[in-house]
Amino acid sequence: MEESKKLGLGTFIGMTMALCATVRSIPSVAATGWSQITYMIFAVVFFALPVALISGELGTMLQAEGGPQLWVKTAMGGKWGFVTAWLLWVQMFPGMVMVASTIGPLWGNTFGNVALGNNHWFILANILGFYWIITVLNLKYDMAKVGGNIGVWLGVYIPIVIMLIMGIAALIKTGINPASYLGTFSWGKLIPSFDNLSTLQYFAAISFIYTGIEMSSVFIPRLHNAKKTYTRGIFIALAGLVLMNILNAMLVANTVPDGQIQLSNITQPILLWCHILGWPTIIANIFSFMVVIGVLIQLSAWVTGPSKTMTQVARNGQLPASFGYHKVNKYGVSRNVVLTQSICISLFALLYGVMKNVNNVFLTLTNATTVIYALVYVLIAIAIIRLRQKQPDLERPYRLGNHGNGLAYSVAYLLIFGIIVIIAATLLTTDLIQSIFVIVITVVLFVIPLYIDSHKNKDWMVQVKADLQSTN
């Protein structure tokens, strides 16, 4: 590759941070008060960093398209590669509802009707209405060309800067608010205790911030001095993400009165800061409109992205041909895959009709998404161990440790330990009904691909080939 096209350290750090940057998780982080510092450090050391380092080795070792699915398939066989692809697809079902659930509160704040925005029926209507509109548009038009980076700027970068400026200005004016989630500092508040054990229910939401960081491995071939730059860049990017999230969450936690945070309403602190600073509330209206446009553009990008992995899986004969997932339109999008995921997402959205407590629904969806995604990371950790054993001599452009397997195994076990702690802490401190829902959904979605694989038929591949030949 030409030197001029190589990525420098600064560019790589920015691109890696962009993979995980979000404002949606800030209220969940803020709800943990001072203990967010401990949770964030644990999530980085036992979750995000191991994922990034393992992905660095696997991603450069196996550079063909497929990512985690390819890594697991190479290490553990086609069945587990299929399970990985499936889990990365189905985590969207609760995940997209969680993301789309912010649209209702954002519209409410855009038009100055906060109460309407927090009504569970209004949130449900927004999720169903906008997600199906986006689905139809993606099937009718090439929406991948619409929006570009605009969604990230409107939905992430600009809102983060606005929140920092307003939050710091409010902190200077009021100081530490003893009646807020933050309250006055004490060393005991940094670590979960019987007094603040309930904050553990947000542990998965904090860890979820870093999901997707495995994709940073795709940049390695384009880095100067790849091994040193990747490791250094990952550490700096994670430090930046920690600071960005903690600074914003601390400012929000110091503003929102204890017990009153709205997890899916990122505009709540903006309105409070407007009142504290004496600034016009139209700032909150503009902020909400900007973020809702950003969220809609991001949702549009996610409608077709993961679906393409399922299309490839179907074309490999791992799904019944009768599903029609192998057939695509002129934009390369499988109508049947997209419609299936939209129906499933709609079913998850119905939680907002069943449960009136908006915070509980948001937390349940976040936890379900995180637990499903965490299973993929467990498979990736097992994959690096298996590949070190099965293919020790395979070229590894980026390798964990110069000699032996000690470092690779340690990082893999660190990740598995971190995931077990995060999931256990979350489920044991969450409402029993919510925990049961998360467990049942995770088990069902994990068993389905195993069931499909156990009934795999050679006729599926025959039919797929026949269908593809007839369309060429």
Side-chain angles (χ1 to χ4, degrees):
M1 182 175 286
E2 295 177 20
E3 285 298 308
S4 59
K5 293 183 179 179
K6 290 281 188 179
L7 298 177
L9 178 62
T11 305
F12 172 65
I13 291 168
M15 293 170 79
T16 300
M17 289 182 67
L19 291 170
C20 302
T22 178
V23 294
R24 291 186 306 278
S25 300
I26 288 173
S28 298
V29 181
T32 63
W34 289 102
S35 57
Q36 65 181 270
I37 297 172
T38 304
Y39 293 149
M40 196 69 75
I41 291 171
F42 186 96
V44 168
V45 174
F46 291 91
F47 187 73
L49 186 58
V51 167
L53 294 176
I54 292 170
S55 302
E57 175 168 320
L58 296 178
T60 52
M61 191 172 110
L62 303 164
Q63 295 187 22
E65 283 189 22
Q69 173 198 355
L70 173 65
W71 308 340
V72 175
K73 179 181 178 180
T74 306
M76 301 162 63
K79 177 173 77 172
W80 292 107
F82 170 50
V83 170
T84 302
W86 176 275
L87 291 174
L88 285 171
W89 181 50
V90 299
Q91 61 84 25
M92 277 183 58
F93 300 167
M96 289 303 94
V97 178
M98 181 259 292
V99 173
S101 67
T102 61
I103 296 172
L106 285 168
W107 277 130
N109 281 286
T110 298
F111 299 108
N113 193 332
V114 180
L116 177 64
N118 291 316
N119 179 282
H120 66 116
W121 290 114
F122 183 72
I123 292 174
L124 174 61
N126 272 273
I127 296 169
L128 294 177
F130 280 102
Y131 197 82
W132 276 99
I133 289 171
I134 288 170
T135 296
V136 172
L137 288 174
N138 271 278
L139 292 174
K140 296 286 186 183
Y141 306 101
D142 188 4
M143 296 299 289
K145 294 181 180 178
V146 179
N149 292 321
I150 296 174
V152 180
W153 278 98
L154 290 179
V156 180
Y157 299 146
I158 296 174
I160 282 173
V161 172
I162 292 173
M163 292 180 75
L164 276 173
I165 291 171
M166 294 186 73
I168 291 170
L171 176 64
I172 292 170
K173 185 171 182 178
T174 65
I176 298 293
N177 178 7
S180 68
Y181 277 84
L182 207 55
T184 53
F185 176 77
S186 69
W187 288 105
K189 290 183 177 181
L190 291 175
I191 301 171
S193 64
F194 288 109
D195 293 331
N196 63 349
L197 200 61
S198 61
T199 59
L200 279 167
Q201 66 183 309
Y202 302 102
F203 207 173
I206 292 173
S207 304
F208 182 73
I209 292 169
Y210 301 101
T211 53
I213 198 166
E214 70 275 5
M215 298 311 297
S216 63
S217 63
V218 303
F219 303 129
I220 292 179
R222 299 171 59 190
L223 296 177
H224 289 286
N225 192 358
K227 183 156 188 175
K228 183 184 290 185
T229 303
Y230 182 76
T231 306
R232 187 186 301 168
I234 284 294
F235 273 94
I236 296 172
L238 286 174
L241 285 165
V242 168
L243 283 173
M244 183 187 80
N245 281 285
I246 284 184
L247 281 175
N248 271 300
M250 285 282 192
L251 293 169
V252 172
N254 187 52
T255 303
V256 181
D258 193 13
Q260 295 183 31
I261 202 157
Q262 298 163 7
L263 298 180
S264 59
N265 184 8
I266 190 61
T267 312
Q268 182 189 22
I270 300 291
L271 271 172
L272 292 171
W273 288 329
C274 284
H275 293 308
I276 290 169
L277 298 168
W279 295 1
T281 54
I282 193 173
I283 294 172
N285 305 139
I286 295 170
F287 176 92
S288 297
F289 182 71
M290 184 172 59
V291 177
V292 79
I293 297 301
V295 169
L296 290 173
I297 293 173
Q298 288 175 313
L299 278 175
S300 180
W302 290 327
V303 164
T304 56
S307 71
K308 293 182 179 179
T309 303
M310 294 310 295
T311 299
Q312 190 56 52
V313 165
R315 291 187 170 190
N316 291 338
Q318 291 181 289
L319 284 167
S322 57
F323 285 8
Y325 287 1
H326 56 287
K327 300 175 183 178
V328 298
N329 62 16
K330 60 183 177 180
Y331 304 119
V333 176
S334 171
R335 176 177 176 273
N336 287 16
V337 174
V338 169
L339 288 177
T340 300
Q341 72 188 26
S342 295
I343 290 168
C344 292
I345 286 167
S346 299
L347 292 175
F348 273 94
L350 293 178
L351 280 174
Y352 277 99
V354 176
M355 298 168 65
K356 294 183 179 181
N357 190 314
V358 172
N359 274 1
N360 284 349
V361 183
F362 186 85
L363 201 57
T364 302
L365 292 167
T366 304
N367 291 345
T369 308
T370 307
V371 171
I372 295 168
Y373 217 124
L375 294 178
V376 174
Y377 290 143
V378 170
L379 292 172
I380 290 173
I382 295 171
I384 193 171
I385 294 171
R386 290 288 298 273
L387 285 170
R388 283 294 185 96
Q389 295 169 346
K390 288 172 57 181
Q391 303 185 40
D393 299 323
L394 202 65
E395 184 183 356
R396 291 168 167 81
Y398 177 86
R399 191 182 194 278
L400 283 174
N402 294 323
H403 305 286
N405 297 323
L407 182 59
Y409 288 0
S410 297
V411 172
Y413 292 137
L414 203 69
L415 174 58
I416 294 171
F417 170 76
I419 287 171
I420 291 171
V421 171
I422 290 166
I423 292 175
T426 302
L427 295 179
L428 292 174
T429 56
T430 307
D431 178 78
L432 180 61
I433 299 298
Q434 291 174 250
S435 295
I436 291 172
F437 176 82
V438 170
I439 292 169
V440 170
I441 287 300
T442 303
V443 170
V444 169
L445 292 178
F446 184 77
V447 168
I448 288 174
L450 294 175
Y451 177 81
I452 292 173
D453 186 80
S454 69
H455 289 74
K456 190 161 59 175
N457 192 315
K458 292 181 180 179
D459 292 339
W460 297 354
M461 193 67 208
V462 173
Q463 185 62 50
V464 167
K465 286 181 177 179
D467 289 343
L468 293 178
Q469 285 175 356
S470 67
T471 55
N472 288 338

